[in-house]
Amino acid sequence: MKEINESTEHIFNTEFDRLDYQLSLEDMLLDLKVLIKEYYCGTFTNDGKSLKITLNNGQKFLLNMTAI
């Protein structure tokens, strides 16, 4: 598994309609992280299989994702 840098900027891919394009789990989590950061203030940590969200008020959430 490659190391994911929290400060990495991600450019959304617009090629999802291509039949040969495969979105990776890491890409999906990074996209969700970018979107969620637009609405919530806190710390967001991506380990490649889940997204840990710690809000500034102390609440913690773990978003687990599995490709099916």
Side-chain angles (χ1 to χ4, degrees):
M1 179 184 347
K2 67 179 181 178
E3 184 175 324
I4 299 173
N5 184 345
E6 287 186 25
S7 65
T8 301
E9 291 296 323
H10 185 70
I11 299 172
F12 292 95
N13 195 319
T14 58
E15 301 179 14
F16 296 125
D17 291 337
R18 285 193 9 218
L19 294 178
D20 62 336
Y21 182 78
Q22 295 291 313
L23 179 67
S24 73
L25 182 61
E26 291 85 5
D27 286 340
M28 177 67 81
L29 283 169
L30 187 55
D31 290 344
L32 289 171
K33 177 181 172 182
V34 170
L35 290 170
I36 292 172
K37 287 176 85 171
E38 292 292 320
Y39 295 94
Y40 298 98
C41 294
T43 303
F44 303 85
T45 307
N46 179 358
D47 70 2
K49 292 186 179 181
S50 62
L51 181 61
K52 182 180 177 185
I53 304 163
T54 305
L55 300 179
N56 291 343
N57 68 0
Q59 286 182 286
K60 295 181 181 180
F61 299 91
L62 185 63
L63 178 61
N64 293 306
M65 184 169 285
T66 303
I68 55 172

